[in-house]
Amino acid sequence: MNSTSRTLAIGPYSETDHRALVDELGAVVLPGLAALADLPQRDRAGVEALAYMGHAPLGGAQMDLLPALRVIANYGVGYDAIDVAAADARGVVVTNTPDVLSEDVADLAVALILAHARGLVAGAAHVATGGWARGRPLPLGRKVSGARVGILGLGRIGREIADRMAAFGCPIHYWSRSAKSVPPGWTAHETPAALAAHSDFLVVALVGGRETEGMVSAGVIGAMPRDAVLVNISRGSTVDEDALIEALAGGRIAGAALDVMRNEPDPDARLLTLPNVLLLPHIGSATVETRAEMAALQRRNIAAVLKGERPPTPVN
Ligand code: NAP
């Protein structure tokens, strides 16, 4: 490592983003957080900026390995992996990448709703494996247009999802921590359970982290109509996964479509075998265009702090 580097980047960056980190910021790039402790002290001493891409917890112990640290720039809007209080205590600014990914994550939520309801995965397999050619029957799907969509957490992404589903003629229901200005006809609910009771598709768009841990509780899942589907594009931590699995196994709800789950990338084995569960590998923002914008915003945040300016998207 070049011990004069002011920027350290950690994570599996694409070749293009890796090159930009090196060209624009002179960064040294490590594959993962575990490699940080192995860097010699002289290489860590001058690091002022950390570009972080990953979900492994980044806390005070790691920050203390970088005594000159001024900014942790997270690649992603969700920064629940970073101990912001520990950063505050060390005078370290934390930044994230809001807005630039909201459309993609909302698009994926719509895709999950449609794929689950209309049996797209089973349908494609039916053609590929010759079931269609042999005249085998395929179960009917469920109509999405006009179904009630409940959004748990009407933030940036939640709002984008709601707008999309409103265009499908779906009545929009929501619960959010703070009051929202919404189009006429959208229905706010007092509690997550009340929202669940009025949702055919309950879409979770909360932040992750300790405060929302298990908010989709056994009680919330129990309030869902029997033919309802849970969609999660937020964080696995927001859902009581044992309660969800129990509800799915017992036919208490109709299904789940999850881009995020606990223990990624090795989810609970029961989720893999349950019918009516559609799992994706946390790909909400995974398009070429959006990932490039996220990486560029991450670099702009770092460049600003290194120049002594306020970064564009700080979280503390
Ligand atoms: P956002 O605008 O901050 O919205 C977050 C929502 O969570 C808001 O409704 C917010 O309520 C609510 N919330 C925050 N703290 C809460 C608390 N303590 N209790 C209850 N509700 C709380 O964030 P966003 O940009 O929409 O992103 C939302 C999340 O999506 C991210 O944090 C990330 O975890 C996840 N995400 C997933 C993917 C993926 O690949 N699947 C990609 C990007 C993001 P208020 O409106 O009242 O503040």
Side-chain angles (χ1 to χ4, degrees):
M1 164 152 179
N2 172 1
S3 56
T4 62
S5 291
R6 295 170 79 195
T7 302
L8 179 66
I10 291 182
Y13 289 93
S14 71
E15 214 180 302
T16 314
D17 295 337
H18 186 133
R19 206 177 320 117
L21 281 161
V22 173
D23 291 349
E24 291 176 28
L25 297 167
V28 166
V29 185
L30 300 179
L33 196 55
L36 178 59
D38 296 332
L39 271 189
Q41 196 273 341
R42 67 169 190 284
D43 291 339
R44 288 187 268 110
V47 170
E48 294 173 61
L50 178 60
Y52 187 54
M53 176 188 198
H55 297 289
L58 172 52
Q62 287 83 19
M63 295 174 202
D64 288 340
L65 292 170
L66 304 169
L69 193 61
R70 293 163 62 196
V71 57
I72 299 171
N74 189 51
Y75 177 99
V77 66
Y79 52 89
D80 42 307
I82 299 170
D83 185 340
V84 178
D88 276 338
R90 290 159 179 78
V92 173
V93 177
V94 178
T95 66
N96 68 343
T97 61
D99 296 314
V100 294
L101 43 60
S102 298
E103 291 178 336
D104 269 0
V105 184
D107 289 352
L108 193 82
V110 174
L112 280 169
I113 290 171
L114 287 169
H116 195 286
R118 302 301 303 272
L120 298 193
V121 175
H126 194 61
V127 179
T129 60
W132 191 33
R134 286 195 293 277
R136 297 231 170 108
L138 195 62
L140 295 177
R142 173 168 191 194
K143 183 166 177 168
V144 171
S145 290
R148 295 169 301 171
V149 171
I151 309 285
L152 187 59
L154 201 70
R156 289 172 291 243
I157 294 172
R159 177 60 194 253
E160 291 283 339
I161 298 168
D163 286 340
R164 282 160 175 69
M165 296 315 298
F168 280 73
C170 295
I172 302 299
H173 296 253
Y174 68 95
W175 175 89
S176 220
R177 180 181 57 164
S178 58
K180 303 290 173 191
S181 162
V182 299
W186 291 18
T187 308
H189 291 271
E190 289 290 319
T191 63
L195 171 69
H198 292 85
S199 301
D200 297 314
F201 296 94
L202 178 62
V203 186
V204 189
L206 296 164
V207 299
R210 217 171 306 140
E211 289 182 9
T212 56
E213 162 76 35
M215 261 188 82
V216 183
S217 60
V220 170
I221 295 166
M224 292 169 68
R226 229 168 226 291
D227 58 356
V229 173
L230 182 75
V231 177
N232 190 8
I233 50 77
S234 64
R235 285 286 185 265
S237 62
T238 58
V239 175
D240 178 338
E241 211 160 80
D242 284 330
L244 173 64
I245 289 167
E246 205 174 301
L248 290 164
R252 177 62 198 75
I253 60 172
L258 313 173
D259 183 45
V260 289
M261 51 227 87
R262 290 174 186 258
N263 205 33
E264 294 175 14
D266 189 18
D268 190 310
R270 293 171 294 173
L271 283 175
L272 307 180
T273 52
L274 278 166
N276 290 333
V277 175
L278 173 57
L279 302 177
L280 293 180
H282 199 148
I283 55 169
S285 66
T287 67
V288 171
E289 297 84 351
T290 290
R291 287 289 169 89
E293 284 200 53
M294 290 163 63
L297 180 52
Q298 183 188 44
R299 294 193 300 276
R300 284 202 301 283
N301 275 312
I302 289 176
V305 173
L306 292 182
K307 274 194 279 180
E309 295 167 3
R310 185 83 178 141
T313 51
V315 302
N316 63 344

